[in-house]
Amino acid sequence: FYYFIRLCLEKILLQCILQSRTLSGADAINALRPFYFAVHPDFFGQHPKEREVNENSLKRLNGYLENLQKPGFRSVKPTQLTFYVREREPNSSNVQESFSSSGFRAVSFTLHTRDLLSTVLVILNSCSLSTEHVQSLNVNSQPHKEAKSTVNRPIKWDKTYYSFTGFKDPEEELEQAQRMETTLISWLDDNEAKAVKKLQKSLPLRKELERLKFELSHKLQLSDIRWQRSWGIAHRCSQLHSLGRLVQQRPEVLKNVKGHTVVFTDRSGMSAAGHVMLGTMDVHHHWTKIFERLPNYYKLQKRLLLLEDRISQLLGGIQVIYIEELQPLLTLEEYYETLHSFYNKLRDSRLPFHPHSLRGLQMILDSDRYAPSLHELGHFTVPTVCDPTTLQWFIFAKAQKARENLKRKEEMMITEKELIDTSTERFSLDRLYKEPSVSSAQMIDCCKRLLEESLPYLQGMHLCISHFYSVLQDGDLCIPWNWK
């Protein structure tokens, strides 16, 4: 009799589990469309920091969703994610124009769900997005009012059932997963061996990369060689080998690059910062054309600098700057057009700025915003479409605060460097660095807390301060700046 009862109960439980997972992979993608639209990196082209965070988080989310659909799946580790979510104006009917001037907000949440439906609901609720459309995709699911959803079961068994049968209580397991939170120590315990193995394997390639970089920099008399993205060591070596072959085949066309920085990126040309960009998907023919056109780029660069000076004169001496870490990677031509359009608007408005009254202050142009703002690092972010009179009053009102922020920025940069040096020495790290999306304030906080810990795991490692935990393909350890 007991055996019969157990078979019945197991059959009911199996039906419940199947009901809670009726959402297919395709349904999950459809249900998450509002979320993807709000966080997709393509919509953050003017905001490289937020774009990079969303790119990394989407990769980890996709991995989580794939694991949920694997045959024989049982459980996954809780995964903490951070996204920048685009905000909408409350009464806007146009999807493309329904975002507020602030642009976006940061949202962090931890996934510890065990089925697609619960995962979709947690994501949508965490980002304050509607979940009404989800119910039409899954007729067997019950309405979920909170992000912390429980297992969808039509029968709620008494606790004595689980103690009597020995079965695991799904609600208890879920509560336990919610209490679990990845800590720095536990993550290093689980990933140190894997990171060491990858690091050791990458060491010969790292030496080869340094050799190639030194030889090419010396031969071409370059200021530096950089990469826009976090490509692996093998990929970078391949790019340098390709450049080396071009040097051997066409040495005469590379004489114009002397004294400049070469950046391997997604497209070829000259950047707004004056760096020579080599598109990694382009062939030698395209690179050759860029090197041949460098004299013309240098002429345009002089005109651009003159344009910046004229804008500065019209705005009381405020300096127009371009910050690679905070602005999109624009070509020289694109940036010149932006400056030229802004200059014409200022010139026609004839704003009454007193000469040199704003000397020492800084500003960047942003074509993706509608209202001026003051960055925590002290520079003004000025929309290219900003009304000149509005801009004038905003700068006057925030000038003193901007000077204070600039002074604090200098102090923070000194403190940050000191803490990086101290942490590197204290933990015998081979390298300690941060992603561009991590601010100086976040890096300082992270290093201060690291120095309070005993972390023998880090000896000889490459440690990257980021927004998430990860072991990179070449053995670099990534930890979030706000680790627990």
Side-chain angles (χ1 to χ4, degrees):
F1 175 79
Y2 170 77
Y3 179 76
F4 173 76
I5 293 295
R6 177 168 180 166
L7 286 177
C8 292
L9 293 174
E10 287 179 346
K11 184 176 180 180
I12 293 173
L13 282 174
L14 180 60
Q15 290 175 343
C16 296
I17 293 173
L18 290 174
Q19 286 181 358
S20 69
R21 295 192 185 181
T22 52
L23 208 63
S24 67
D27 286 338
I29 296 299
N30 287 331
L32 287 173
R33 284 187 183 279
F35 165 76
Y36 287 129
F37 182 81
V39 305
H40 199 282
D42 286 352
F43 293 111
F44 290 79
Q46 303 295 317
H47 306 283
K49 168 187 171 181
E50 291 75 17
R51 178 188 178 95
E52 185 174 2
V53 171
N54 283 10
E55 282 180 344
N56 291 327
S57 294
L58 279 175
K59 290 177 183 177
R60 301 179 67 225
L61 173 59
N62 290 337
Y64 189 97
L65 294 175
E66 288 174 4
N67 286 333
L68 291 181
Q69 301 173 68
K70 288 181 179 179
F73 158 78
R74 291 189 177 182
S75 63
V76 293
K77 291 183 178 179
T79 300
Q80 184 175 4
L81 300 172
T82 297
F83 287 97
Y84 284 94
V85 181
R86 299 195 300 158
E87 292 186 317
R88 299 188 180 187
E89 296 287 3
N91 298 319
S92 177
S93 59
N94 189 315
V95 173
Q96 295 298 329
E97 300 177 357
S98 60
F99 298 101
S100 64
S101 59
S102 62
F104 41 76
R105 55 191 169 86
V107 173
S108 296
F109 54 91
T110 300
L111 290 178
H112 37 62
T113 47
R114 299 187 297 172
D115 62 270
L116 285 174
L117 175 59
S118 298
T119 304
V120 167
L121 291 169
V122 167
I123 294 170
L124 294 175
N125 278 302
S126 298
C127 297
S128 302
L129 298 171
S130 173
T131 60
E132 293 179 1
H133 63 289
V134 179
Q135 303 306 322
S136 63
L137 297 173
N138 188 343
V139 296
N140 292 323
S141 63
Q142 298 295 323
H144 286 63
K145 295 183 179 181
E146 299 180 0
K148 293 183 178 179
S149 57
T150 58
V151 178
N152 181 25
R153 295 183 292 122
I155 301 176
K156 184 176 179 65
W157 299 103
D158 189 89
K159 298 295 182 182
T160 54
Y161 162 75
Y162 299 104
S163 59
F164 180 75
T165 62
F167 294 157
K168 292 183 178 180
D169 183 347
E171 290 187 356
E172 189 176 304
E173 283 189 308
L174 182 60
E175 291 174 0
Q176 184 178 358
Q178 291 173 346
R179 291 193 298 267
M180 290 177 59
E181 188 172 16
T182 302
T183 65
L184 178 61
I185 300 299
S186 65
W187 187 80
L188 289 174
D189 280 337
D190 294 338
N191 292 276
E192 180 201 10
K194 178 171 64 175
V196 170
K197 184 177 180 180
K198 289 186 175 182
L199 180 61
Q200 291 298 322
K201 186 179 179 180
S202 73
L203 289 179
L205 276 176
R206 290 180 186 271
K207 292 181 180 179
E208 174 71 359
L209 179 66
E210 289 302 314
R211 183 188 67 80
L212 289 170
K213 185 177 177 180
F214 174 80
E215 289 183 357
L216 283 171
S217 296
H218 180 72
K219 184 177 295 185
L220 299 176
Q221 300 184 53
L222 299 175
S223 175
D224 194 10
I225 297 178
R226 301 179 190 170
W227 286 264
Q228 179 199 4
R229 298 187 180 277
S230 301
W231 284 301
I233 304 297
H235 195 171
R236 296 187 181 199
C237 285
S238 176
Q239 292 161 356
L240 292 183
H241 277 299
S242 186
L243 179 58
R245 286 192 296 272
L246 180 59
V247 173
Q248 293 177 349
Q249 297 166 4
R250 300 289 305 275
E252 73 281 359
V253 302
L254 285 103
K255 61 183 180 180
N256 297 323
V257 78
K258 178 181 177 181
H260 282 76
T261 294
V262 168
V263 181
F264 289 96
T265 180
D266 295 329
R267 52 180 174 166
S268 297
M270 178 169 274
S271 72
H275 303 324
V276 179
M277 302 188 301
L278 299 182
T280 57
M281 300 302 291
D282 292 338
V283 296
H284 282 181
H285 172 73
H286 295 101
W287 289 5
T288 301
K289 289 294 183 183
I290 294 300
F291 288 124
E292 290 175 342
R293 291 170 56 191
L294 284 180
N296 292 329
Y297 278 125
Y298 297 152
K299 293 178 183 178
L300 180 60
Q301 192 175 25
K302 290 181 180 179
R303 292 168 56 192
L304 185 146
L305 294 174
L306 180 61
L307 200 52
E308 288 181 339
D309 287 340
R310 289 177 176 173
I311 292 174
S312 177
Q313 292 171 10
L314 292 175
L315 292 178
I318 189 170
Q319 182 185 8
V320 183
I321 61 174
Y322 177 83
I323 305 177
E324 290 181 277
E325 295 80 7
L326 299 178
Q327 294 180 257
L329 188 65
L330 299 176
T331 64
L332 199 65
E333 298 94 331
E334 291 169 342
Y335 189 49
Y336 181 85
E337 288 299 321
T338 300
L339 286 172
H340 191 264
S341 174
F342 184 70
Y343 169 71
N344 288 337
K345 178 177 290 190
L346 284 179
R347 183 189 56 188
D348 295 340
S349 66
R350 300 182 181 277
L351 292 178
F353 278 100
H354 190 278
H356 311 303
S357 60
L358 299 177
R359 177 177 290 179
L361 297 182
Q362 300 174 339
M363 60 166 278
I364 65 173
L365 285 175
D366 190 335
S367 58
D368 198 38
R369 290 180 180 269
Y370 296 93
S373 62
L374 176 61
H375 196 275
E376 60 180 4
L377 296 181
H379 61 265
F380 289 96
T381 300
V382 179
T384 54
V385 297
C386 183
D387 174 65
T389 303
T390 301
L391 175 62
Q392 176 189 6
W393 287 109
F394 184 83
I395 292 178
F396 281 154
K398 300 290 185 177
Q400 182 57 36
K401 179 65 174 175
R403 296 186 190 279
E404 294 172 1
N405 286 5
L406 283 171
K407 183 178 180 180
R408 186 166 63 250
K409 170 190 172 183
E410 295 177 0
E411 296 171 349
M412 288 177 62
M413 290 181 67
I414 295 174
T415 302
E416 180 184 7
K417 185 180 184 306
E418 290 175 348
L419 285 170
I420 289 175
D421 292 341
T422 303
S423 301
T424 302
E425 182 179 356
R426 163 78 181 277
F427 300 114
S428 301
L429 288 164
D430 194 70
R431 185 188 179 203
L432 173 59
Y433 63 103
K434 68 175 184 178
E435 290 187 344
S437 56
V438 176
S439 68
S440 291
Q442 292 170 336
M443 187 67 171
I444 289 172
D445 176 72
C446 177
C447 289
K448 283 182 176 179
R449 293 190 299 115
L450 280 175
L451 289 170
E452 297 175 355
E453 302 291 327
S454 176
L455 301 169
Y457 318 84
L458 300 180
Q459 185 173 353
M461 301 302 295
H462 292 242
L463 182 63
C464 173
I465 307 305
S466 176
H467 294 272
F468 55 87
Y469 287 104
S470 178
V471 177
L472 302 185
Q473 65 187 68
D474 295 303
D476 294 45
L477 289 166
C478 285
I479 65 170
W481 69 271
N482 56 345
W483 53 270
K484 304 297 182 182

